[in-house]
Each structure stands twice: as C-alpha cells, then as structure tokens.
Amino acid sequence: MPVAEEEAGIASLLCCYRNNLPGASQSCLTLAEWKLKAASTASSTTITEAPIMPVTKYPKKAEPLWKKWEQKAQKNGRRHQVFAVNGDHYEGEWSDNLKHGKGTQFLKKSGVVYEGDWKFGKQDGYGILSHPDPETGKYRRVYSGWWKGGKKSGYGIQFFGPKEYYEGEWCNNQRSGWGRMYYHNGNIYEGHWQNDKPDGEGMLRLKNGNRYEGNWERGMKNGRGRFFHLDHGQLFEGFWVDDVAKCGTMIDFGRDEAPEPTQFPIPKVEILDPDGVLKKAIAKLMNPEEGHN
C-alpha cells in the first residue's frame, strides 16, 4: 500500500480518542498532531525492562575412556584375526563378544587348530581338529566330527596314529555308544563303548582272522562269549572274567579248512551231564558270594 494512503487511513481512525491524550481538542486529531503528541508522551515516560534471570550452564560430563574402548572392542559379525594375550587368535564370526557361527581358532602354544562351528564361545556343531606333525611340520587331522558344548559329542572319527583310528559315537570327549576301532597291530573291535572303553556287546577280530564275539566290561572280555580259533579250526564257548576264560566247552570248528589245524581232533566228552556241570560253574562265577556259602 502507498505511504500516502496508509497515513490517510490512520488519520481517520484518530477521531473520538482525544480523551486518552491529555490536552487534546474535542475535534478529531490530524495525523501530524497525533505524531507530535505521541512523541512528547514517549519522551516523558520511563520504560523499565524486566530483569533477566540468570541461566546456569553445566559442562557436559565426559564419558570414561574405558567405555569408549569397550564399545570399539565389541565383537559382532565376522572379524578377521582377533588375538588373545597369550598369542592365540581366532578368525570368524562373533555374537556379543563370543565366538558364534563359522570360525577358525589357532592355539599358539600347542599349535592346535580347530575349524568349524561355534556356539556361544564353544565348539558346537561340525568341526575339524588338527595338530602339527613334529616330523614334517604339516598339519594332520586328529578329529573330524560333531561337537557339543566344546566337547566331542555325536558321530566322529579320531586318529590316534597313522594306522590307528576310531569311527563311531562320542559323548563328552569319550568314545560312547556304537563304534569301530582300528588298532595299529591290525586288530579291529566293533561294538559298544562306554567311558572310552569297549563295554557291552562287541566283536574283536584279530589280524590272523581269529575273533571273539560276546560281552565286554571295562575294556575286557567279561561274561558270556565265543572265541573262534579259525587258524586251528576250533571254537571255545564259555564265560570270561577280566579277559580270562574261566569255563566253557571247546569243539572242532572248520578244522579241515584251517590253515594250521591241530594234530588230533578234540575227543568226545564222557561226562554224563556236561551242560549241567557247565551251568553250575557259570552260576558260581556270576555269583561268587553264593559259591562260598
């Protein structure tokens, strides 16, 4: 809006307000008179400003350095090599600062390497454990199989030497359940295990072809069993105590096909009740306390 028109509009609004301005006439004020009166009123009036309240500002509290370092050290997701104080290092996946997922751990002191699955900081799932060969310096596989809570659990293969290994079930780092053991001397055991030893039903096959089938306890023949002397063509069936055959019967078995048969066949038993005698003998072995009464 032009200045002249604006001032004319203001002048028209100044009528009938002269009672509010001291000394004003009863008629309407002109714009010039209003400006003059307003200036004189402003000069005689003292304006007091409201006091300004003080504002206190506190400096921002510095965060401890260890918190910043801890945040930077948080491990989640995949990391490259993370070293421990003792020189061990790990490369793989993390979750909340724990090895979790796929990863490889190197132990400096022993040289052992584990490669496989991790869960909350422990080997869990499928993994391979390797040791350095002292002669060649190369890594050789020691165990490949399943783990749980940092221990061998489930099916796995353990190598004890170049020609000695076990394949079968594990529990808490021990052979437990069904398994087959290949010994360095050529013998093979197949059957049940408990506490890292043959226990339960199992078969031991010797390198020369002879074999034992029967019960085991604490890694030894205990209880009923049969021993096939295939090299001589004989079969012994009886009762064992701590690897020693205590009583039983021996008969010819495949003597004609045996590579080293005995000079004479086994004579006929002349006892009236051989089965009864054997039964009583086994009963005494199974219940030794009753035999002394």
Side-chain angles (χ1 to χ4, degrees), residues 230-234 252-262 265:
L230 300 180
D231 54 345
H232 300 312
Q234 293 177 334
D252 288 325
F253 183 84
R255 184 171 177 274
D256 296 336
E257 293 81 20
E260 299 176 4
T262 57

Side-chain angles (χ1 to χ4, degrees), residues 209-213 226-230 234-236 253:
N210 296 345
R211 70 177 186 271
Y212 167 82
E213 298 176 359
R226 299 187 298 173
F227 197 103
F228 295 83
H229 298 271
L230 300 180
Q234 293 177 334
L235 168 62
F236 177 82
F253 183 84

Side-chain angles (χ1 to χ4, degrees), residues 14-286:
L14 295 177
C15 295
C16 303
Y17 288 98
R18 64 184 302 275
N19 290 332
N20 295 330
L21 294 175
S25 62
Q26 295 295 328
S27 60
C28 295
L29 296 176
T30 64
L31 180 60
E33 291 174 338
W34 179 82
K35 287 183 177 181
L36 181 61
K37 292 289 184 179
S40 62
T41 303
S43 62
S44 62
T45 304
T46 302
I47 300 175
T48 303
E49 295 183 355
I52 300 175
M53 297 300 293
V55 178
T56 304
K57 294 185 178 181
Y58 296 95
K60 187 177 181 181
K61 190 175 180 181
E63 191 177 43
L65 289 176
W66 65 266
K67 282 193 175 181
K68 294 182 179 179
W69 296 336
E70 185 180 24
Q71 291 173 358
K72 292 181 179 180
Q74 290 291 321
K75 296 180 282 293
N76 278 293
R78 182 166 182 83
R79 289 288 185 100
H80 292 294
Q81 294 185 355
V82 177
F83 286 83
V85 177
N86 60 2
D88 299 346
H89 64 279
Y90 170 83
E91 180 178 351
E93 297 175 334
W94 296 78
S95 178
D96 293 333
N97 285 331
L98 296 174
K99 305 178 186 74
H100 194 83
K102 302 287 185 181
T104 304
Q105 178 172 267
F106 303 84
L107 302 182
K108 182 179 180 180
K109 186 175 181 179
S110 61
V112 175
V113 176
Y114 171 83
E115 181 180 4
D117 296 326
W118 295 80
K119 190 174 182 180
F120 302 120
K122 295 182 179 181
Q123 297 98 325
D124 201 296
Y126 184 82
I128 299 173
L129 190 70
S130 302
H131 289 186
D133 193 311
E135 297 180 358
T136 63
K138 297 181 179 180
Y139 280 95
R140 60 181 181 85
R141 184 175 298 184
V142 175
Y143 175 82
S144 59
W146 294 91
W147 302 71
K148 186 175 183 180
K151 296 181 180 180
K152 303 166 193 169
S153 292
Y155 180 83
I157 301 176
Q158 170 88 36
F159 295 90
F160 298 92
K163 297 180 180 180
E164 188 168 80
Y165 65 96
Y166 167 87
E167 58 178 356
E169 297 174 331
W170 294 78
C171 183
N172 293 329
N173 275 343
Q174 292 185 333
R175 290 167 285 188
S176 184
W178 180 92
R180 183 186 293 116
M181 180 71 195
Y182 296 84
Y183 297 93
H184 68 278
N185 59 3
N187 297 343
I188 302 173
Y189 171 82
E190 182 176 357
H192 288 273
W193 295 72
Q194 186 174 351
N195 298 328
D196 219 33
K197 295 179 180 180
D199 198 291
E201 290 293 324
M203 178 183 68
L204 176 65
R205 186 165 61 248
L206 305 181
K207 183 178 180 180
N208 60 5
N210 296 345
R211 70 177 186 271
Y212 167 82
E213 298 176 359
N215 197 67
W216 296 75
E217 186 177 336
R218 296 173 283 106
M220 296 180 288
K221 305 179 191 76
N222 273 285
R224 296 180 181 273
R226 299 187 298 173
F227 197 103
F228 295 83
H229 298 271
L230 300 180
D231 54 345
H232 300 312
Q234 293 177 334
L235 168 62
F236 177 82
E237 185 171 1
F239 195 89
W240 272 260
V241 176
D242 293 345
D243 267 346
V244 179
K246 292 294 186 176
C247 62
T249 59
M250 178 79 80
I251 62 173
D252 288 325
F253 183 84
R255 184 171 177 274
D256 296 336
E257 293 81 20
E260 299 176 4
T262 57
Q263 184 176 1
F264 302 102
I266 296 176
K268 184 179 179 181
V269 178
E270 299 294 341
I271 301 178
L272 294 178
D273 187 12
D275 293 336
V277 173
L278 181 61
K279 186 177 181 180
K280 289 181 180 180
I282 293 176
K284 289 181 179 180
L285 291 171
M286 295 180 68

